[in-house]
Amino acid sequence: DDQDRVLARTLVEALLLEDNSHVGAELIPGLVAPEWGLKASELADHIASSGLKESPSTIWMHPNVEVGIGLMHDSELIDGMLELYDGTKRPQAGASVQERASIVVDDILERLPPQVQVSQARLGMEERGTYIYVFLQEIERSRQLTGTIRSSLVELGNCLKGDIQASEATDAMMLSIANNKVPSVWEKAAYPSLLPLGAWVSNLSDRVHQLLEWSNDFQLPKVTWLSGLFVPQSFLTAVAQATAVRNEWPLEHTMIQTEVTKKRHTEIGASARDGAYVHGLYIEGARWDERAACLEESRPKELVCSMPVLLLKAINTQMHSPESDAGDAYQCPVYRTQQRGATHVFTASLRTKAPPAKWTLSG
């Protein structure tokens, strides 16, 4: 995708700069440029003789990367062990799969948030502006998801009680729930997430709570939990549309610009006059220095850093060139999960004292 191309171009520029073209120049920490015209085997010997050790710093990444990879491998190992466990047998200590699943089913049914009443939320929607359509769509998606969860839990509960016959689908759901994993049938109706089941249910409850609060007065929240929306891209579109309509700009020449504030979401006293305040974003591979208001190196073993409130504003690209503000800013891609990829939402402009390429290479 576009971000892969940015990374590839930055790597090429870092390795093939004119300063690195002469013999003896340091290509990466611990490895100098060899003589020209060497064969592949000779290049391999040159690298081996350098004593270069594989580490994140070798490719300009932070040492925290090793910690993250270790945690990922540990998680994969535990998931594999759980899949190998025969749930029909009771271990010496602990409950069986069926018993664990039954406890979790009851717990989730008790914690599952109420559905937002769409009929109530539709009142006066014609006069309420562009944001109401975003929240109405969010409400509908939340209703579909919570409805799917509730009906499937009731069915599984009846299977566990022996009232109805189990199927492959209910067996798969039982194993997922017993192992603290989100069932696939819920994932299909939900949003991208890497959370385990317990945290996932709490996260869903918080998402619905935001919609319940909004449906009370139909007003744009003082600060919106952007990562708590099913489709955050639609909220950004609403910001652009609202600004374009107010200023009579053509929508195709309107784009979103970000500004990092110095406040947390609990400190926001009123809605933004222009644009919208959002929170719930974290940065990986760097941290945000709130005093200096710019990107800095991550602290050791601090894998992610919480960002302050961001102000999303729309600008007219015919009147204001985005490139004019890009000189001291890193164009940071924003994703919905740490897996990145297809979960890309938008690009945030973050101030940096270091060259922007540093943060591209650091991951």
Side-chain angles (χ1 to χ4, degrees), residues 131-334:
Y131 293 105
I132 192 168
Y133 295 101
V134 175
F135 285 100
L136 285 175
Q137 291 170 355
E138 290 290 316
I139 287 173
E140 188 59 33
R141 292 186 179 98
S142 74
R143 286 173 58 85
Q144 292 175 358
L145 176 56
T146 54
T148 298
I149 293 173
R150 193 178 301 277
S151 61
S152 60
L153 285 175
V154 170
E155 181 183 4
L156 178 58
N158 291 332
C159 291
L160 293 172
K161 295 175 184 176
D163 295 340
I164 59 176
Q165 187 174 358
S167 63
E168 289 186 8
T170 54
D171 284 343
M173 182 176 172
M174 177 186 67
L175 287 172
S176 294
I177 288 178
N179 293 329
N180 198 27
K181 298 176 67 176
V182 181
S184 59
V185 66
W186 298 0
E187 289 181 325
K188 292 176 182 178
Y191 36 81
S193 176
L194 303 179
L195 294 173
L197 180 59
W200 188 89
V201 174
S202 297
N203 179 269
L204 172 62
S205 180
D206 292 339
R207 289 169 182 258
V208 175
H209 181 70
Q210 175 173 240
L211 297 175
L212 285 168
E213 286 189 335
W214 171 82
S215 66
N216 288 332
D217 57 11
F218 306 103
Q219 299 297 317
L220 178 67
K222 296 176 183 177
V223 54
T224 301
W225 179 31
L226 185 65
S227 54
L229 299 178
F230 281 70
V231 186
Q233 293 93 328
S234 62
F235 185 82
L236 273 71
T237 301
V239 173
Q241 287 178 337
T243 305
V245 170
R246 184 173 64 251
N247 296 300
E248 298 182 348
W249 294 345
L251 185 59
E252 63 269 21
H253 294 297
T254 306
M255 68 172 292
I256 294 296
Q257 190 176 55
T258 57
E259 177 183 321
V260 183
T261 73
K262 294 186 177 182
K263 296 182 178 181
R264 293 291 165 171
H265 71 278
T266 54
E267 300 172 327
I268 300 296
S271 300
R273 294 183 179 180
D274 182 19
Y277 290 122
V278 297
H279 75 103
L281 278 69
Y282 295 81
I283 189 166
E284 183 180 33
R287 67 180 176 87
W288 184 256
D289 187 325
E290 296 191 30
R291 289 187 177 181
C294 67
L295 288 172
E296 291 290 350
E297 286 274 3
S298 298
R299 295 187 178 93
K301 299 183 181 180
E302 187 180 89
L303 303 187
V304 294
C305 173
S306 173
M307 290 291 293
V309 169
L310 266 65
L311 173 61
L312 302 180
K313 297 191 299 183
I315 61 170
N316 187 329
T317 55
Q318 292 179 313
M319 303 177 183
H320 183 88
S321 173
E323 287 75 14
S324 62
D325 298 326
D328 62 344
Y330 166 57
Q331 302 306 308
C332 180
V334 179

Side-chain angles (χ1 to χ4, degrees), residues 2-17:
D2 290 342
Q3 300 307 321
D4 292 329
R5 285 188 284 273
V6 170
L7 175 58
R9 184 173 63 250
T10 307
L11 281 169
V12 169
E13 291 174 351
L15 288 170
L16 300 182
L17 288 175

